[in-house]
Amino acid sequence: RTSKMAQAARERFAKKNEAEDLRRAFEKLDTRGDGKIDTEELNTVFQLLNHKTKKSEIEDMIWEVDDDCDKCVNWPEFQAMYHRCRNDKTGYEPRRLFNVVEFLMNDKDDSGSVSVEEAMQILYLRFGKGLLDSQLEEIFGTSDTNSTKDLSLTEFLHSLNMSQVKQLRSKVTGKTYKPPTSVRK
């Protein structure tokens, strides 16, 4: 009973913090402050973070979540994208902009990199103590909380992409399904 209460409290705290972090990430990407994010603004943030990407990739990031086809992402589209990806159990939801948002949410001190310590809070609140170490290991290659390892946006995106590819490859599909072997008595 106590662990269920602790988990419920952790989830309430996580939702409040997550909403604040999500708003902060949106405002960081919305460099003009006009309530929407376009390719120029994303490119500006990428340049500030020394992340090289093609214009067509940035356009695709916007296109994947631009529900009203205005070539921008507004706050409701941004929230919808975030929650779709957070709740996606299949791994098939487009995650390119989501992964950038994850980086910005984890970069609490606006240093342009994410440390193990910064990522720990979000990962703990999201996955609990049981999965914290494996999540840190997956992203940083270490779960040592004393690690001084920081990831740039490019490294963070690469790490998340590799993790997501691994997750997709481990899924059972029509091609990889093997029926249970029958046991003869």
Side-chain angles (χ1 to χ4, degrees), residues 92-180:
Y92 294 118
E93 194 64 45
R95 291 180 176 269
R96 288 191 282 190
L97 184 58
F98 174 79
N99 290 343
V100 172
V101 171
E102 286 279 282
F103 176 85
L104 295 173
M105 289 174 72
N106 278 287
D107 183 15
K108 301 273 190 198
D109 62 0
D110 290 328
S111 64
S113 64
V114 174
S115 67
V116 172
E117 192 176 325
E118 285 175 313
M120 264 180 46
Q121 181 187 10
I122 286 180
L123 294 173
Y124 173 74
L125 292 171
R126 200 172 281 173
F127 298 103
K129 186 177 179 183
L131 293 174
L132 177 63
D133 286 349
S134 66
Q135 291 296 318
L136 288 171
E137 195 76 41
E138 189 92 12
I139 296 170
F140 290 92
T142 181
S143 58
D144 179 2
T145 56
N146 296 318
S147 170
T148 57
K149 186 169 187 176
D150 287 2
L151 297 179
S152 67
L153 175 60
T154 303
E155 293 165 328
F156 187 84
L157 294 177
H158 177 74
S159 179
L160 286 183
N161 188 43
M162 295 308 292
S163 172
Q164 290 157 359
V165 165
K166 192 166 108 182
Q167 177 192 358
L168 286 172
R169 284 193 176 142
S170 71
K171 295 227 180 279
V172 175
T173 65
K175 288 182 179 179
T176 61
Y177 175 74
K178 292 191 178 23

Side-chain angles (χ1 to χ4, degrees), residues 12 35 51 65 77 80 112 133 148 178 182:
R12 279 193 308 276
H51 178 67
V65 297
E77 290 168 333
D133 286 349
T148 57
K178 292 191 178 23
S182 58

Side-chain angles (χ1 to χ4, degrees), residues 26-129:
F26 181 82
E27 289 170 357
K28 198 176 288 187
L29 292 170
D30 180 19
T31 58
R32 287 192 198 98
D34 59 2
K36 55 190 182 212
I37 302 160
D38 63 24
T39 55
E40 263 181 50
E41 289 170 302
L42 260 183
N43 192 43
T44 299
V45 171
F46 288 159
Q47 286 175 349
L48 290 170
L49 295 170
N50 295 317
H51 178 67
K52 291 179 178 30
T53 190
K54 295 176 184 159
K55 184 179 180 191
S56 62
E57 289 174 14
I58 296 172
E59 289 168 348
D60 286 348
M61 278 184 202
I62 299 278
W63 178 83
E64 289 173 346
V65 297
D66 180 18
D67 294 335
D68 61 10
C69 299
D70 65 351
K71 297 188 178 176
C72 298
V73 177
N74 61 34
W75 175 239
E77 290 168 333
F78 190 81
Q79 288 177 297
M81 169 274 305
Y82 182 78
H83 293 292
R84 268 195 317 265
C85 288
R86 278 281 284 117
N87 298 321
D88 176 33
K89 303 287 184 242
T90 67
Y92 294 118
E93 194 64 45
R95 291 180 176 269
R96 288 191 282 190
L97 184 58
F98 174 79
N99 290 343
V100 172
V101 171
E102 286 279 282
F103 176 85
L104 295 173
M105 289 174 72
N106 278 287
D107 183 15
K108 301 273 190 198
D109 62 0
D110 290 328
S111 64
S113 64
V114 174
S115 67
V116 172
E117 192 176 325
E118 285 175 313
M120 264 180 46
Q121 181 187 10
I122 286 180
L123 294 173
Y124 173 74
L125 292 171
R126 200 172 281 173
F127 298 103
K129 186 177 179 183

